[in-house]
Amino acid sequence: MDIKKIFENNEQWITDKLALDKDYFNNLSKGQSPEILYIGCSDSRVTAEELMGVQPGDVFVHRNIANMVPNTDMNVQSVINFAVRHLKVKHVVVCGHYYCGGIKAAMQSADLGILNSWLRNIRDVYRLHQDELDAIKDEEERYKRLVELNVQEQCVNVIKTASVQRASKERGGEFTVHGWVFDVRTGKLIDLNIDFDRILENIMKIYRII
Ligand code: CO
């Protein structure tokens, strides 16, 4: 990739946008009111806006290795807080993807230095669902299922936050959390249709703070 080409691409993009709407950037500069917070993986193949077909201004985005929502990570916690309390997004999406390198690394024994503590959160997801995962004999299927279960657990981590609990209480059906997976092999975006009522039934008495 030629870095100079990126700036040429940018000039072309400006020209294309202005040809369709001469006020395009003027309007963008007025502010943002996205309805969706998207939390996804940093993986270069999983481009948030492009796979959803959305435009600048539509989605507030946070990406990190393996789309994690650790309770002690000030970065993701700040993003959730700002998006929910101030931007008042209507949807929070956690989007994982099959063939995720972070998930793969967490399934193996290797000292990866500073990544160890990050990946530990994924190992904890494995431990929470060990019976189900160990029963899957095919390694690729087990890997894909861990991707899905990690999305589910990160959605639960989103729901543990005060800002999200307050939004659910005050805005009811106007505010929802979604767990999705992107299949790199087919390009398909899959809604896991996570049954939060069932998953949270016995644990919200522990995690409810609002
Ligand atoms: Co990934």
Side-chain angles (χ1 to χ4, degrees):
M1 168 62 75
D2 180 358
I3 293 291
K4 258 170 61 185
K5 181 81 173 88
I6 287 173
F7 289 89
E8 290 166 21
N9 291 346
N10 173 252
E11 290 297 335
Q12 187 60 51
W13 177 69
I14 294 167
T15 305
D16 293 346
K17 288 290 185 194
L18 292 178
L20 289 171
D21 176 4
K22 65 179 172 43
D23 293 321
Y24 184 76
F25 294 103
N26 271 339
N27 288 333
L28 266 192
S29 70
K30 287 175 186 162
Q32 61 169 339
S33 54
E35 295 191 355
I36 299 171
L37 164 60
Y38 169 98
I39 300 169
C41 185
S42 297
D43 191 303
S44 59
R45 300 165 298 177
V46 189
T47 56
E49 289 89 349
E50 192 170 331
L51 71 89
M52 288 189 279
V54 297
Q55 297 302 313
D58 288 342
V59 183
F60 200 65
V61 173
H62 178 80
R63 291 169 68 180
N64 62 34
I65 292 172
N67 41 270
M68 301 302 290
V69 185
N71 298 307
T72 52
D73 178 40
M74 292 302 287
N75 192 345
V76 70
Q77 293 297 327
S78 301
V79 167
I80 293 170
N81 193 282
F82 180 71
V84 174
R85 291 187 64 181
H86 300 284
L87 295 174
K88 300 202 182 304
V89 295
K90 294 178 179 172
H91 306 275
V92 178
V93 171
V94 176
C95 184
H97 68 103
Y98 296 137
Y99 313 103
C100 180
I103 302 290
K104 187 83 180 172
M107 287 175 76
Q108 288 159 358
S109 296
D111 180 355
L112 297 174
I114 197 166
L115 272 172
N116 289 341
S117 58
W118 192 258
L119 299 178
R120 174 94 53 77
N121 296 301
I122 305 171
R123 294 179 196 274
D124 290 341
V125 170
Y126 196 112
R127 183 165 64 114
L128 272 175
H129 297 276
Q130 188 168 6
D131 291 347
E132 179 183 345
L133 288 163
D134 283 352
I136 303 170
K137 293 301 165 213
D138 183 80
E139 193 181 340
E140 184 164 328
E141 289 305 312
R142 192 163 66 247
Y143 174 23
K144 290 173 85 169
R145 186 60 183 144
L146 181 55
V147 166
E148 296 171 357
L149 289 168
N150 183 54
V151 166
Q152 178 180 307
E153 291 304 327
Q154 301 320 310
C155 286
V156 171
N157 282 343
V158 167
I159 294 166
K160 289 173 189 169
T161 65
S163 54
V164 166
Q165 290 185 17
R166 188 171 289 115
S168 293
K169 192 173 184 179
E170 291 172 359
R171 295 195 261 146
E174 294 286 290
F175 179 84
T176 40
V177 176
H178 310 261
W180 297 348
V181 169
F182 176 70
D183 188 345
V184 179
R185 189 169 281 177
T186 63
K188 193 152 182 65
L189 187 59
I190 301 155
D191 187 345
L192 295 174
N193 290 312
I194 297 169
D195 184 352
F196 288 112
D197 287 342
R198 182 183 64 79
I199 290 165
L200 300 172
E201 192 181 6
N202 292 319
I203 62 171
M204 278 316 283
K205 63 177 181 289
I206 302 168
Y207 293 111
R208 184 162 299 290
I209 48 183
I210 298 293

